[in-house]
């Protein structure tokens, strides 16, 4: 046993671990990771095209977006466990293949149902990619280079969420809507070739077993809850249709929590929620993703439906958000702020800036882009400060031997928050729009087409703009509240930890084979 426990540090320090093509591998991994992350937001800019060409309703559009994120979030932890047990190279290759097949099916879809199913299939491949890419980065870089490599990987993560509308707008300006999916095929093919030829295999035979039951329970539970939120404006929040879906979702999630407490290899160790630092970071991570995913969903509709921009023009006008995230992450301003304010202060400052950006867009961006530009820059700055600090807080709150689980939890929170943001803020938009204008149409373009006069069209447009403003303000309030709660919990955790002895001795005792 002693020889086994001593082996990883020796291997980590060995020069042979510096793979001669490690930076090339990192580039390929980042490209594959970027493609997966872009698909979280790239679809939002195609909403008008899908509404016209597939006769998609607002509920269809939300499920096209949520099918991908919900399947992916439900499988992230299981995918990470499978990669550790069966081989990271195998699972990374499988993820690229599945993602490519799903992209081909999505690009050739002829109906909303087909596209939703294809997006769900892409979510399976995306889950494998999201978990194995970081595992491979940790594998091929030693401690001297690992911080720099993970920093580049994290920057790509931020860029992926923000740059989707820009890429989508460019593709839609030159090709039909299916091109936003077919562009993934050459990337997936290149990734498979590079992974097979360059990436060394690694696995942990003693790793946790995949928690398939937990994955199924979490996916069904989240999907049911989000379905209830999406269906609320159409069926009524107190209707049996909505209440049954919400009840089923919450019940399944409760069963999931109990099940995870009882099995030896849980997908999510529920005992983590006893740690105030973990709970605070989780709260912030979910609500940053909530505000980011929901706001981008609203912004692309705002730019195209209200301000009248073409898809490429709309994508370009969301670029300040992506530029702010990339520039501030690259120059390391967030790290310097973290050194001065600490984790709680950095998270509070970042989420306050993000909330302020959403509020500026809601109040001043209604009929002019200048107000929206300022809000986008504020949002980008807030994201660049808060996201790395929260990821660090989550990983620091979890034992080192559970680092893979920590990465899976971080990815799951991002995916869940993104899907929930689209669902909740989309539901607020639909409810407000329906309250202001009594129309039978299921989407804004359909309502405009059914309008009988210029005055009625103006009234419908004003109602939709009002719905957008309300939704953005709700998102801003949620992000600001989340930042305050997260910071308070983290401050409490720091004060509690300051009165305890250093955890090194306790960690050694808990991991000592003799103590077992």
């Amino acid at each position: 046993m002693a020889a086994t426990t001593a082996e990883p540090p020796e291997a980590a320090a060995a020069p042979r671990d510096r793979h001669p093509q490690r930076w090339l591998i990192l580039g390929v991994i980042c490209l594959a990771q970027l493609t997966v992350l872009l698909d979280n937001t790239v679809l939002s800019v195609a909403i008008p095209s899908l509404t016209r060409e597939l006769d998609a309703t607002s509920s269809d559009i939300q499920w096209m977006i949520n099918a991908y994120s919900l399947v992916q979030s439900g499988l992230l932890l299981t995918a990470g466990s499978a990669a550790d047990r069966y081989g990271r190279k195998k699972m990374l290759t499988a993820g690229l293949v599945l993602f490519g097949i799903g992209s081909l099916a999505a690009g050739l879809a002829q109906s909303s149902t087909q596209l939703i199913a294809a997006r769900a299939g892409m979510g399976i491949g995306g889950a494998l990619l999201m978990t194995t890419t970081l595992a491979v980065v940790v594998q091929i870089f030693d401690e001297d280079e690992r911080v720099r490599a993970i920093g580049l990987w994290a920057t790509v993560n931020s860029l992926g969420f923000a740059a989707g509308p820009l890429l989508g707008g460019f593709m839609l300006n030159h090709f039909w809507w299916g091109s936003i999916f077919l562009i993934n095929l050459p990337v997936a093919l290149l990734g498979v070739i590079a992974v097979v030829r360059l990436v060394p295999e690694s696995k942990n035979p003693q790793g946790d077993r995949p928690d398939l039951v937990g994955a199924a329970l979490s996916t069904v539970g989240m999907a049911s809850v989000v379905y209830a939120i999406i269906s609320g404006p159409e069926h009524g929040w107190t209707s049996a249709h909505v209440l049954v879906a919400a009840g089923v979702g919450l019940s399944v999630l409760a069963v999931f929590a109990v099940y995870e407490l009882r099995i030896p290899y849980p997908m999510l160790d529920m005992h983590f929620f006893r740690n105030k630092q973990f709970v605070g970071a989780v709260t912030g991570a979910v609500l940053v993703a909530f505000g980011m995913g929901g706001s981008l969903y609203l912004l692309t509709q705002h730019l195209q439906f209200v301000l009248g921009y073409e898809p490429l023009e709309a994508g370009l006008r969301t670029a300040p958000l992506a530029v702010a995230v990339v520039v501030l992450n690259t120059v390391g301003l967030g790290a310097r702020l973290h050194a001065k304010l600490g984790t709680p202060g950095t998270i509070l400052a970042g989420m306050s800036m993000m909330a302020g950006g959403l509020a500026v867009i809601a109040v001043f961006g209604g009929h002019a882009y200048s107000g929206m530009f300022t809000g986008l820059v504020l949002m980008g700055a807030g994201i660049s400060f808060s996201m790395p600090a929260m990821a660090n807080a989550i990983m620091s709150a979890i034992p080192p031997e559970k680092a893979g689980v920590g990465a899976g939890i971080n990815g799951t929170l991002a995916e869940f928050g993104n899907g929930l943001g689209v669902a909740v803020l989309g539901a607020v938009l639909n409810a407000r729009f329906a309250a202001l204008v009594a129309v039978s149409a299921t989407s804004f373009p359909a309502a405009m087409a059914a309008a009988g006069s210029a005055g009625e069209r103006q009234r419908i447009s004003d109602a939709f703009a009002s719905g957008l403003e309300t939704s953005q303000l709700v998102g801003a309030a949620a992000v600001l509240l989340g930042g305050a709660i997260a910071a308070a919990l983290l401050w409490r955790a720091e004060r509690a930890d300051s009165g305890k002895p250093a955890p090194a001795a306790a960690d050694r005792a808990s991991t000592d084979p003799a103590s077992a």
Side-chain angles (χ1 to χ4, degrees):
M1 180 66 69
T4 301
T5 55
E7 183 177 350
E10 293 172 2
R16 59 184 174 83
D17 278 357
R18 285 202 170 187
H19 196 287
Q21 295 175 303
R22 60 194 179 280
W23 295 107
L24 177 60
I25 295 173
L26 178 63
V28 173
I29 286 173
C30 286
L31 182 60
Q33 182 86 346
L34 180 61
T35 305
V36 173
L37 292 165
L38 285 172
D39 271 85
N40 284 295
T41 56
V42 71
L43 192 63
S44 59
V45 79
I47 289 172
S49 300
L50 293 170
T51 301
R52 290 191 304 267
E53 298 184 28
L54 295 182
D55 294 324
T57 65
S58 296
S59 181
D60 291 335
I61 294 295
Q62 288 178 325
W63 273 113
M64 289 173 190
I65 296 172
N66 288 329
Y68 178 79
S69 59
L70 287 176
V71 170
Q72 188 174 12
S73 63
L75 295 176
L76 276 171
L77 295 176
T78 299
S81 298
D84 288 340
R85 188 170 182 82
Y86 301 115
R88 300 178 182 100
K89 179 176 181 176
K90 291 186 183 71
M91 293 299 104
L92 181 54
T93 304
L96 285 164
V97 170
L98 289 173
F99 190 77
I101 293 173
S103 297
L104 177 62
L108 301 179
Q110 300 296 311
S111 68
S112 295
T113 301
Q114 292 177 6
L115 182 54
I116 292 170
R119 292 275 293 168
M122 292 172 66
I124 299 174
L128 290 169
L129 290 173
M130 289 282 287
T131 51
T132 52
T133 50
L134 181 56
V136 171
V137 170
V138 172
Q139 171 201 353
I140 63 175
F141 288 94
D142 60 22
E143 292 183 0
D144 293 335
E145 296 180 326
R146 193 171 296 155
V147 173
R148 180 185 175 193
I150 293 178
L152 292 172
W153 182 87
T155 300
V156 169
N157 282 354
S158 300
L159 176 62
F161 283 107
L166 179 60
L167 176 63
F170 175 80
M171 297 301 296
L172 291 172
N173 197 54
H174 294 84
F175 309 101
W176 96 111
W177 64 265
S179 63
I180 64 177
F181 300 110
L182 297 183
I183 194 175
N184 295 334
L185 297 179
V187 177
L189 179 60
L190 174 64
V192 168
I193 295 172
V195 168
V196 170
R197 297 189 61 179
L198 300 175
V199 176
E201 181 61 284
S202 67
K203 61 181 178 180
N204 179 12
Q206 298 176 339
D208 294 349
R209 291 193 296 268
D211 178 13
L212 300 180
V213 175
L217 289 172
S218 63
T219 301
V220 171
M222 288 189 292
S224 298
V225 170
V226 172
Y227 177 77
I229 295 171
I230 293 174
S231 303
E234 180 180 355
H235 296 280
W237 293 105
T238 58
S239 68
H241 186 95
V242 173
L243 293 178
V244 168
V248 168
L250 294 174
S251 300
V252 171
L253 289 176
V255 172
F256 165 74
V258 173
Y259 178 79
E260 295 297 287
L261 285 169
R262 293 174 178 266
I263 62 173
Y265 299 104
M267 186 174 76
L268 175 60
D269 188 345
M270 304 305 294
H271 295 96
F272 290 152
F273 289 96
R274 297 177 180 176
N275 185 313
K276 293 184 178 66
Q277 180 180 345
F278 177 79
V279 173
V282 163
T283 302
V286 169
L287 287 171
V288 163
F290 175 95
M292 193 171 179
S295 64
L296 287 175
Y297 171 75
L298 299 173
L299 281 172
T300 51
Q301 295 186 73
H302 192 156
L303 288 163
Q304 294 184 64
F305 289 150
V306 177
L307 300 183
Y309 292 114
E310 293 297 321
L312 178 58
E313 295 175 325
L316 286 171
R317 280 164 175 78
T318 63
L321 172 63
V323 171
V325 171
V326 173
V327 169
L328 293 176
N329 274 341
T330 302
V331 301
L333 185 58
R336 290 195 290 272
L337 184 68
H338 187 274
K340 291 183 178 180
L341 300 182
T343 299
T346 303
I347 289 176
L348 180 59
M351 294 185 72
S352 297
M353 292 180 71
M354 187 176 176
L358 279 167
V360 167
I361 292 171
V363 176
F364 300 106
H367 299 287
Y369 178 71
S370 56
M372 187 174 291
F373 175 86
T374 303
L376 287 169
V377 172
L378 278 173
M379 285 182 63
I383 291 165
S384 68
F385 297 153
S386 58
M387 286 185 71
M390 283 183 298
N392 180 68
I394 290 174
M395 298 304 292
S396 299
I398 293 176
E401 63 271 18
K402 296 287 187 179
V405 174
I409 291 171
N410 189 53
T412 299
L413 294 173
E415 293 300 321
F416 178 66
N418 182 67
L420 195 62
V422 171
V424 172
L425 298 189
V428 173
L429 166 61
N430 292 338
R432 178 64 174 166
F433 180 54
L436 293 176
V437 180
V439 294
S440 58
T442 56
S443 65
F444 174 72
M448 292 292 283
S453 65
E456 186 176 358
R457 283 192 292 273
Q458 184 61 47
R459 186 164 56 89
I460 291 172
S461 179
D462 290 342
F464 190 77
S466 177
L468 285 168
E469 179 181 339
T470 301
S471 301
Q472 288 158 345
L473 289 174
V474 168
V479 171
L480 183 61
L481 178 62
I485 294 173
L489 289 170
L490 289 167
W491 269 314
R492 286 182 61 190
E494 287 185 354
R495 285 199 301 269
D497 290 342
S498 65
K500 296 179 180 179
D507 289 343
R508 284 195 298 270
S510 64
T511 57
D512 188 350
S515 66

